[in-house]
Amino acid sequence: MNYNIALLRGDGIGPEIVDSAVRVLHAIGQKYGHSFICTPYLIGGAAIDAVGEPLPKDTVDGCLNSDSVLLGAVGGPKWDTLPGSLRPEKALLGIRAALGLFTNLRPARLYPALKDACPLRESVASSGFDIMIVRELTGGIYFGDRGYREGKYGEEAYDTECYSRFEIERIARVAFETAKKRGNKVTSIDKANVLETSRLWRRTVHEIAEEYEGVECVDMLVDNAAMQLVKNPAQFDVIVTSNMFGDILSDEASQITGSIGMLPSASRNETSRGLYEPIHGSAPDIAGKGIANPIATILSAAMMLRHSFSLAAEADAIENAVDSALNAGLRTADIAEKGASWLSTTEMTDEIIKRL
């Protein structure tokens, strides 16, 4: 099989980690008889420097004409003084909207080999956890009406939260379908004691839950959820929540795994095409030094194989190779214990490829 992948390397360490993932894809292709045709396109600060805008039309067209998209990271201090419409991060919202990516799947798993890096107390870390956060990605306050106006105390800014029943229904179905393949439990997170959008969210999720006999549905207020993630993360299987709440909680969940450099993500629409990226940023302070952790991007490529191309065995092979490398004590700088030896970006990629 031949697969066309749009590569959005982006900024900072983005090119290094994407190139590592591409090496793994080509290696798995050789093993299983697939061909991955990878075409690079500009995005973020690199696009601003080259053509004056963060998301060129050629990039959008290239992504729409691909089978799937692999993204590195965007942004950096170099572009922080630009107006909001020209910031590298604007490209992320733009590409999600252009591809209709309404679902973000973000796993947060504590690897047994890394439990000592978990900041939680030992009794919590030793039990481990494996959470899938299902975040709504194209609605809510990030895409609502916004602006400036004259208010009671002079100039004020406003951002509007808005959700339709349709948007909630489709993300809820993704969560329940995901839970059926895991632990049969969905925790729906909202702020229904205060927000009308959350009241509609809760009511709609309950209606969808009736279609999924055997899948438990639990409601939780977002402030309680933030506490429960650090108190008892093992209680969660699948979490479904809104755009802004998901943005915050998924970052919190990433920190309790021990390293943000370990976690992949998938952004999906109704088609097989998706956008796959590590959850960490561009880390411009370490760009070009060869010390970035490529594992999150490599695991994002594995998610692409599983969710966009239905290549479960190939995805398993990559994930098992990562497990094997970690269990052998191999570490990059960000996950190595103080004073211990560690591998460069390229060396860790080499070791993962050896274990495919």
Side-chain angles (χ1 to χ4, degrees):
M1 294 292 292
N2 297 325
Y3 299 95
N4 293 305
I5 301 172
L7 297 182
L8 309 181
R9 290 188 172 95
D11 310 314
I13 63 172
E16 303 165 57
I17 55 178
V18 168
D19 288 350
S20 287
V22 169
R23 288 183 58 210
V24 173
L25 282 172
H26 288 323
I28 208 74
Q30 287 185 337
K31 179 177 176 64
Y32 286 89
H34 306 304
S35 177
F36 298 104
I37 303 165
C38 301
T39 306
Y41 297 95
L42 293 169
I43 194 170
I48 293 170
D49 290 347
V51 298
E53 57 181 324
L55 185 62
K57 183 178 182 301
D58 286 349
T59 297
V60 175
D61 292 343
C63 292
L64 288 170
N65 290 323
S66 69
D67 296 317
S68 206
V69 182
L70 183 63
L71 171 66
V74 301
K78 179 180 179 180
W79 304 281
D80 280 352
T81 58
L82 294 175
S85 61
L86 290 177
R87 293 280 293 270
E89 294 79 7
K90 186 71 173 179
L92 298 180
L93 297 179
I95 197 64
R96 290 169 186 166
L99 298 179
L101 304 172
F102 67 89
T103 299
N104 182 244
L105 301 175
R106 188 177 282 195
R109 173 190 172 199
L110 179 60
Y111 287 84
L114 297 179
K115 68 178 183 179
D116 290 341
C118 177
L120 304 181
R121 64 182 184 272
E122 185 178 354
S123 61
V124 175
S126 61
S127 62
F129 54 85
D130 185 354
I131 306 168
M132 179 64 78
I133 298 177
V134 180
R135 169 190 170 192
E136 201 290 323
L137 204 58
T138 57
I141 198 167
Y142 290 174
F143 289 88
D145 187 29
R146 69 190 61 193
Y148 290 84
R149 62 192 175 197
E150 195 68 19
K152 180 179 179 180
Y153 300 105
E155 183 185 27
E156 64 182 21
Y158 64 93
D159 298 276
T160 307
E161 170 93 346
C162 181
Y163 267 112
S164 67
R165 180 179 295 274
F166 168 76
E167 290 172 308
I168 302 168
E169 285 178 347
R170 67 180 182 179
I171 196 67
R173 285 197 170 91
V174 171
F176 282 99
E177 289 291 338
T178 301
K180 282 172 59 178
K181 302 172 184 176
R182 292 171 47 94
N184 287 309
K185 180 181 178 181
V186 172
T187 303
S188 176
I189 294 175
D190 58 40
K191 191 63 176 172
N193 59 336
V194 176
L195 302 176
E196 288 297 338
T197 47
S198 283
R199 292 175 187 131
L200 177 62
W201 181 283
R202 181 172 293 201
R203 187 166 69 247
T204 305
V205 169
H206 285 188
E207 292 171 1
I208 299 302
E210 294 178 1
E211 302 174 12
Y212 292 88
E213 185 178 355
V215 179
E216 181 184 4
C217 180
V218 177
D219 297 312
M220 189 175 290
L221 296 176
V222 63
D223 41 358
N224 184 32
M227 292 185 288
Q228 293 298 325
L229 269 174
V230 295
K231 181 181 180 181
N232 180 22
Q235 70 183 281
F236 296 106
D237 175 30
V238 173
I239 289 173
V240 62
T241 191
S242 65
N243 204 341
M244 182 170 67
F245 293 163
D247 191 4
I248 297 167
L249 292 176
S250 59
D251 280 352
E252 180 187 9
S254 74
Q255 289 302 307
I256 62 175
T257 65
S259 174
I260 199 171
M262 294 292 300
L263 302 183
S265 74
S267 299
R268 302 292 312 283
N269 54 27
E270 293 93 340
T271 72
S272 62
R273 185 190 301 111
L275 185 148
Y276 300 84
E277 60 180 312
I279 72 166
H280 58 71
S282 62
D285 55 317
I286 63 170
K289 297 181 180 179
I291 62 175
N293 188 342
I295 291 178
T297 315
I298 291 170
L299 291 174
S300 296
M303 291 187 77
M304 177 191 296
L305 298 182
R306 175 171 284 112
H307 294 288
S308 282
F309 303 152
S310 298
L311 300 177
E314 291 85 338
D316 287 343
I318 293 174
E319 291 166 355
N320 291 338
V322 170
D323 283 344
S324 176
L326 294 174
N327 291 336
L330 303 177
R331 302 287 186 268
T332 48
D334 60 312
I335 55 176
E337 294 183 6
K338 187 176 182 180
S341 61
W342 48 268
L343 303 181
S344 69
T345 308
T346 301
E347 290 169 338
M348 179 59 87
T349 306
D350 290 341
E351 291 293 340
I352 291 170
I353 289 173
K354 288 179 186 177
R355 288 166 167 76
L356 288 175

